[in-house]
Amino acid sequence: LRRQMFLYIAFQGVVFLTLAAEIGFFIHGESVIGALERISTDYRVPPELLLSPISLLQTKIAVMLTVLLATVGLVMTLFIKRITLPLAATIRSAVSIAEGDLSTTVTIHFNDEIGVLGSAINDLSANYQEVLLLAQTLSRQAKSELSDGQEAEPLTREAAESARERLAELDELLTDFTTSFYRADRLT
């Protein structure tokens, strides 16, 4: 997006320079200069008197086009700083969360649409962490109950052992998945 903004600014610059050149060629072209020379000759008016307003007009047009180009550049720079950079940071955080690093959070700079998006991603990550912790807790409780024999009476010993193994696998997977969350808690 930043590259596109820079290309947009460069394109605007080319358009403004082309416009300035076109105006300059028109003013210094045969139709304007020739008409002023004829008027100067026919009415015996000094050429400098007729050409000085043209030169002043050309300078004013160049200044106006320069100011316009600078304004477009400033607006694009502000756009890049306020939208493109925070959006890129939000994308990096979302990708990191999607890859399993649940300790990543989106830094909220402004209370705009990008800030709302960042808050939603942070809430989603926090809710996901809660679900994982709840699943891990339930898995450990069920494993403990099976080990204590409280719920094992109706099960055969073989079925109970198989359930314990599966719950242990689930617990291990959930532990691996939430490692980044726990690591973040220990670092803070």
Side-chain angles (χ1 to χ4, degrees):
L1 194 56
R2 276 186 283 181
R3 199 171 338 140
Q4 289 176 341
M5 290 297 115
F6 289 129
L7 289 174
Y8 179 72
I9 292 170
F11 177 71
Q12 289 293 325
V14 169
V15 168
F16 292 145
L17 291 175
T18 304
L19 184 60
E22 178 63 30
I23 291 171
F25 288 139
F26 174 74
I27 289 174
H28 288 292
E30 186 59 38
S31 61
V32 174
I33 297 296
L36 290 175
E37 287 176 351
R38 282 190 300 278
I39 291 171
S40 174
T41 305
D42 292 347
Y43 295 102
R44 298 181 202 264
V45 177
E48 303 82 36
L49 187 64
L50 293 175
L51 294 177
S52 65
I54 299 284
S55 179
L56 181 63
L57 178 65
Q58 186 177 14
T59 303
K60 284 188 177 192
I61 289 172
V63 168
M64 287 175 15
L65 289 174
T66 303
V67 168
L68 188 58
L69 180 61
T71 303
V72 167
L74 179 65
V75 168
M76 289 298 115
T77 301
L78 292 175
F79 178 81
I80 288 169
K81 286 186 178 184
R82 285 277 308 212
I83 295 174
T84 309
L85 296 177
L87 184 60
T90 301
I91 290 169
R92 280 191 304 275
S93 296
V95 167
S96 180
I97 291 168
E99 290 173 347
D101 184 4
L102 299 179
S103 66
T104 303
T105 58
V106 177
T107 304
I108 310 299
H109 297 284
F110 303 105
N111 193 20
D112 56 4
E113 289 82 1
I114 295 174
V116 171
L117 175 64
S119 292
I121 291 172
N122 287 340
D123 291 345
L124 180 66
S125 177
N127 291 341
Y128 195 50
Q129 290 170 6
E130 288 178 28
V131 167
L132 289 174
L133 289 174
L134 179 62
Q136 190 175 39
T137 301
L138 292 174
S139 168
R140 286 179 180 165
Q141 285 175 351
K143 184 177 172 184
S144 174
E145 288 175 6
L146 284 172
S147 295
D148 292 344
Q150 296 172 358
E151 298 293 331
E153 294 171 9
L155 297 175
T156 65
R157 226 176 192 13
E158 187 176 299
E161 185 59 35
S162 175
R164 271 193 224 90
E165 288 174 9
R166 287 186 185 150
L167 285 170
E169 288 176 26
L170 175 62
D171 185 51
E172 185 178 329
L173 287 172
L174 289 171
T175 300
D176 290 345
F177 195 72
T178 58
T179 299
S180 64
F181 174 65
Y182 287 102
R183 189 175 345 119
D185 281 349
R186 283 187 234 127
L187 294 175
T188 55

